[in-house]
Amino acid sequence: MDPVPALDEPLKKVLGPATAKVMAEHLGLHTVGDLLHHYPRRYEERGRLTHLADLPMDEHVTVVAQVADARLHTFASSRAPRGKGQRLEVTITDGSGRLTLVFFGAGVHKPHKELLPGTRAMFAGKVSVFNRRLQLAHPAYELLRGDAEETVDTWAGALIPIYPATAKLESWKIGKALQTVLPSAQEAADPLPESLREGRGLVTLPEALLKIHRPHTKADIEEARARLKWDEAFVLQAALARRRHADAQLPAVPRRPKPGGILAAFDDRLPFTLTEGQRKVSEEIFADLATDHPMHRLLQGEVGSGKTMVALRAMLAVVDAGGQAAMLAPTEVLAQQHHRSITEMMGELAQGGMLGGADDATKVVLLTGSMGAAARRQALLDLATGEAGIVIGTHALIEDKVRFHDLGLVVVDEQHRFGVEQRDALRGKGKQPPHLLVMTATPIPRTVAMTVFGDLETSVLDQLPAGRSPIASHVVPAADKPHFLARAWERVREEVEKGHQAYVVCPRIGDEEDGAKAKKKSPEDEAEKRPPLAVLDTAEQLARGPLAGLRVEVLHGRMQPDDKDAVMRRFAAGEVDVLVATTVIEVGVNVPNATVMVIMDADRFGVSQLHQLRGRVGRGSAPGLCLLVTEMPEASPARQRLDAVASTLDGFELSRIDLEQRREGDVLGQAQSGTRSSLRMLAVIDDEEVIAEAREEATRIVAADPDLERLPALRTALDALLDEEREQYLEKG
């Protein structure tokens, strides 16, 4: 994090090449500074064992305990047929529980001499079960010898840092390496402005590093954590504030809709009134579009809250002002769906240059990778001449051949599927930087939005439009109550008899090779001993069994784009009763007549994904029904996750649950893929206050001193955060 030579010193110079190699390969630590920022995961008081009930199976653990007894057994084996085989069993205790350590063969001699009853030590190894007892086989250990003068009380009260470790490098070896480099902490340059640090009563960075690695009291740990959390939040928010500031300096063409233009004509023909939320968000967007620097706005809205309508009105405002708008969708199915629904909503306003087109009409073109050569040539021509005011496409829009007459607005749908290069490549196609609207239907907790999308202003649509129906969700425990599953298929038939349609979603397609993919199993897969249900098999079983006589079709990602589109068109036209699909239908698919969704193996999907999928039903006037089918037992975490989804339709609440259950790195995506620069102390859900305050402070400081000339240490910290290999740090890939 610093230019100070002491902190930039490569670890191999300080610790030797062997240790440095393991640290680089297994922990991503390369310099003294990296190691100083490798914080303890927790602290043990000497003589206290991690509660034995909490020891996780098959995980590498470090425990601090006292030897209760040690016994050497001899036995006969194929290697030692004359009963000369040796096994040392050592029992350790913390006074409340016991754990067995086992050593075999030549490995028994050293521990037999050293692990005498009464000896205290740290032990590290992988937890396994033998004869229904937990044990560590061949654990590494480090004896804890108190000095002669040290009383038992002070010895037992000392805090031992336990570091995130690997099988190749035990926690105490990392601790010893830290002892070696800790004096360098004094030279750490402090990125926090002094006034901010003193105003908030935070310790200096050198003091925080000393206290986190060598605390004397629990208060030391708290002080160090509070300070290091602020560092992470503030440096990240300063980077985002500088990006916002730089974006605000870029020139852009103001785009104001003209009175009586295409936007007014579109609003006049709407068969419904916009919700209060849609009106408010549209006003925020129109205000941004009217300025002479580019809009950078994130529009997040619940599934079905009418984001596409808001985006379309923004695009029409730009067309009114003489510009063009491009909408970037992550999949061909979604691009085709958007193209279809937008041309339907616009009617004759989308028929620019055609017979029957309205006076203010423009052309709406589709551009995807699988289009035929002639259609593609025509689309490219319409973009280059300005004939097409709106283009909807996949990343085919980013290709070099694509030229715009005057690109004024870029709308990115489902931002988390695009990297920064794709977003910037499309923005680079404008004569001046175009305005940018990013949409997501994945509700993002406020702190995650501030951390990941901190360079964007945020608008939230949390109202459902009139005419949207509530969705009832239920868990169907197929293993405990098979008759519930039979009832689920009866419900599907009942809905179809009423003239409605249904989705059945499966985790996989079913035509995969039985190769390496199939062998990689999660612990829950192992529990079930079967692969996840597949679209092709399920469709066949349903068509022959419980849904015989209904029109059942399949949709998945490996179908040809034209075939996918044909199936979706037939389903939208009501010519298919039941669509058995993968998550290809997760976003954007809009069939108001579909009222029921059955999700097979629902436990294989994430919370947010289930919420997204569920949003595909109840889009019309009839109520929606979502059935989450699982074979997981009632007390399992997977069932609790499904119960949470069934109990609320609030996407923001679910996204919090999702974030609490998963590692934050998964949620923060690319923003957390760096090694040194990833969040170590900061927890985006728990530290909401710190993040919000850091954002305010950073915005104020950058506004007063954009180049941070008065804060060289902060500038250095930012350079380390945003070095070449991490230039995408702030983007979700």
Side-chain angles (χ1 to χ4, degrees):
M1 235 166 120
D2 301 284
V4 182
L7 296 202
D8 278 351
E9 189 86 38
L11 286 174
K12 69 172 170 227
K13 279 195 180 169
V14 188
L15 304 175
T19 307
K21 186 170 186 246
V22 177
M23 285 195 168
E25 286 177 5
H26 294 274
L27 297 169
L29 307 175
H30 303 275
T31 65
V32 169
D34 292 349
L35 182 55
L36 286 172
H37 288 286
H38 185 71
Y39 307 131
R41 177 178 284 155
R42 58 189 170 85
Y43 300 84
E44 282 291 5
E45 287 174 44
R46 280 179 161 157
R48 233 189 61 210
L49 183 60
T50 308
H51 286 297
L52 293 184
D54 296 340
L55 284 182
M57 279 297 298
D58 284 337
E59 273 194 33
H60 211 80
V61 298
T62 303
V63 294
V64 178
Q66 184 166 335
V67 177
D69 66 54
R71 295 178 188 188
L72 191 64
H73 303 275
T74 55
F75 60 90
S77 72
S78 56
R79 285 189 182 173
R82 296 200 196 120
K84 295 280 174 67
Q86 291 190 307
R87 182 175 80 249
L88 176 66
E89 283 187 14
V90 178
T91 305
I92 57 174
T93 179
D94 63 343
S96 67
R98 298 165 89 80
L99 180 66
T100 306
L101 316 177
V102 194
F103 302 87
F104 292 101
V108 304
H109 304 306
K110 185 167 176 273
H112 191 217
K113 277 195 291 216
E114 294 182 336
L115 298 180
L116 304 170
T119 306
R120 293 188 181 96
M122 264 195 290
F123 304 92
K126 205 171 182 185
V127 183
S128 56
V129 171
F130 181 72
N131 277 349
R132 289 194 291 196
R133 281 189 312 176
L134 291 181
Q135 67 168 30
L136 298 181
H138 281 286
Y141 62 87
E142 174 85 343
L143 301 179
L144 297 173
R145 298 187 177 89
D147 295 337
E149 311 80 82
E150 200 175 31
T151 67
V152 173
D153 288 347
T154 55
W155 189 91
L159 293 161
I160 302 169
I162 304 294
Y163 290 93
T166 73
K168 293 260 170 30
L169 201 65
E170 291 88 10
S171 170
W172 57 84
K173 287 186 181 160
I174 296 171
K176 281 182 173 170
L178 267 152
Q179 286 283 40
T180 310
V181 302
L182 208 49
S184 305
Q186 295 300 346
E187 299 186 47
D190 201 324
L192 287 193
E194 200 169 330
S195 57
L196 188 159
R197 187 173 57 70
E198 287 174 353
R200 293 182 180 276
L202 299 168
V203 298
T204 63
L205 181 57
E207 193 182 336
L209 290 170
L210 289 170
K211 284 184 168 174
I212 201 79
H213 292 297
R214 290 288 165 271
H216 294 297
T217 62
K218 289 182 178 168
D220 283 353
I221 299 169
E222 286 314 304
E223 276 186 9
R225 280 190 169 148
R227 162 62 214 244
L228 294 167
K229 278 180 179 182
W230 251 95
D231 262 25
E232 287 181 4
F234 180 73
V235 173
L236 181 54
Q237 292 301 335
L240 291 162
R242 285 185 80 189
R243 185 174 175 121
R244 285 196 302 276
H245 186 271
D247 282 342
Q249 309 311 307
L250 292 172
V253 180
R255 310 281 179 172
R256 295 183 185 88
K258 62 181 184 210
I262 191 170
L263 176 61
F266 175 75
D267 285 350
D268 287 346
R269 51 172 288 138
L270 278 181
F272 51 82
T273 52
L274 297 173
T275 65
E276 186 56 42
Q278 284 173 318
R279 274 204 299 277
K280 183 173 134 295
V281 170
S282 288
E283 277 161 24
E284 290 171 352
I285 291 170
F286 291 155
D288 285 357
L289 290 174
T291 60
D292 55 10
H293 56 83
M295 164 172 82
H296 292 100
R297 191 166 282 281
L298 171 69
L299 170 57
Q300 46 168 328
E302 278 289 12
V303 177
S305 57
K307 291 183 303 300
T308 311
M309 173 61 69
V310 170
L312 176 54
R313 293 184 75 239
M315 292 196 283
L316 293 174
V318 169
V319 173
D320 255 350
Q324 291 170 293
M327 184 185 241
L328 190 58
T331 64
E332 293 212 350
V333 166
L334 189 50
Q336 287 162 338
Q337 172 80 30
H338 275 319
H339 181 252
R340 201 160 44 238
S341 61
I342 283 173
T343 46
E344 279 167 14
M345 281 195 271
M346 286 175 64
E348 69 265 23
L349 294 173
Q351 294 168 1
M354 295 182 233
L355 274 172
D359 293 345
D360 290 309
T362 187
K363 250 190 187 178
V364 180
V365 301
L366 177 69
L367 190 63
T368 63
S370 66
M371 282 169 76
R376 187 180 173 75
R377 257 198 315 275
Q378 185 59 52
L380 290 172
L381 185 65
D382 288 341
L383 288 180
T385 60
E387 191 84 5
I390 295 177
V391 58
I392 296 153
T394 54
H395 39 261
L397 282 177
I398 299 164
E399 290 171 11
D400 288 344
K401 290 191 189 107
V402 181
R403 295 272 177 277
F404 288 87
H405 177 64
D406 179 14
L407 181 60
L409 170 67
V410 173
V411 179
V412 181
D413 194 15
E414 290 307 320
Q415 153 70 8
H416 62 281
R417 312 223 177 167
F418 291 104
V420 59
E421 313 86 11
Q422 291 170 306
R423 193 167 105 175
D424 284 350
L426 190 50
R427 278 164 66 182
K429 291 188 176 293
K431 293 189 179 83
Q432 282 192 313
H435 299 280
L436 176 72
L437 180 65
V438 165
M439 301 199 295
T440 178
T442 308
I444 304 164
R446 176 168 161 259
T447 40
V448 180
M450 281 193 285
T451 311
V452 180
F453 296 112
D455 58 332
L456 303 170
E457 298 300 324
T458 305
S459 295
V460 178
L461 270 180
D462 47 14
Q463 237 179 324
L464 286 186
R468 285 300 301 258
S469 302
I471 305 168
S473 304
H474 303 286
V475 177
V476 177
D480 313 348
K481 298 175 179 166
H483 60 285
F484 275 36
L485 182 57
R487 176 71 190 118
W489 300 127
E490 282 172 24
R491 283 291 291 115
V492 170
R493 289 193 90 95
E494 286 164 15
E495 286 300 308
V496 172
E497 278 160 20
K498 288 182 199 164
H500 299 308
Q501 292 160 279
Y503 295 102
V504 177
V505 182
C506 302
R508 67 188 183 101
I509 297 170
D511 58 359
E512 298 91 342
E513 300 284 316
D514 282 343
K517 261 190 184 170
K519 286 178 190 157
K520 274 189 147 180
K521 288 186 177 172
S522 70
E524 289 188 348
D525 288 359
E526 287 295 343
E528 293 181 283
K529 292 282 184 278
R530 72 160 175 77
L533 291 170
V535 165
L536 301 177
D537 308 340
T538 305
E540 196 181 326
Q541 287 160 10
L542 291 176
R544 284 208 314 260
L547 303 184
L550 301 187
R551 297 168 297 177
V552 178
E553 291 207 25
V554 301
L555 180 72
H556 58 75
R558 277 211 289 278
M559 288 164 64
Q560 288 302 314
D562 289 351
D563 296 343
K564 278 193 281 205
D565 195 39
V567 171
M568 271 319 301
R569 280 178 188 279
R570 284 200 297 278
F571 189 63
E575 294 161 19
V576 174
D577 298 321
V578 180
L579 188 62
V580 184
T582 55
T583 53
V584 73
I585 61 155
E586 180 185 348
V587 283
V589 173
N590 183 22
V591 179
N593 192 43
T595 53
V596 59
M597 175 178 285
V598 182
I599 303 179
M600 308 303 292
D601 282 341
D603 47 272
R604 315 281 177 131
F605 299 98
V607 170
S608 293
Q609 199 172 29
L610 290 168
H611 183 59
Q612 287 280 338
L613 285 165
R614 166 171 69 184
R616 300 301 110 213
V617 295
R619 298 179 79 85
S621 51
L625 172 66
C626 179
L627 301 173
L628 306 166
V629 180
T630 179
E631 292 187 0
M632 283 288 127
E634 201 164 347
S636 64
R639 271 289 282 281
Q640 288 163 7
R641 210 167 60 231
L642 295 181
D643 289 338
V645 175
S647 68
T648 179
L649 288 171
D650 181 343
F652 288 93
E653 177 56 31
L654 287 174
S655 69
R656 277 188 90 93
I657 293 169
D658 204 14
L659 193 54
E660 281 159 8
Q661 288 193 345
R662 290 158 52 189
R663 290 199 339 276
E664 284 171 352
D666 299 342
V667 179
L668 299 187
Q670 185 74 33
Q672 282 301 289
S673 71
T675 44
R676 274 182 301 178
S677 51
S678 60
L679 303 184
R680 301 270 165 80
M681 277 292 165
L682 203 63
V684 286
I685 284 287
D686 301 338
D687 298 319
E688 185 162 343
E689 217 170 283
V690 175
I691 293 169
E693 288 174 16
R695 181 180 166 105
E696 270 174 41
E697 292 278 11
T699 305
R700 186 176 56 74
I701 283 163
V702 169
D705 180 10
D707 294 326
L708 304 177
E709 282 167 2
R710 296 193 289 281
L711 296 168
L714 174 57
R715 207 166 61 222
T716 305
L718 286 176
D719 291 342
L721 179 69
L722 301 172
D723 63 13
E724 289 298 307
E725 59 189 8
R726 294 191 193 80
E727 63 188 353
Q728 298 157 32
Y729 176 86
L730 301 176
E731 296 296 337
K732 265 186 130 176

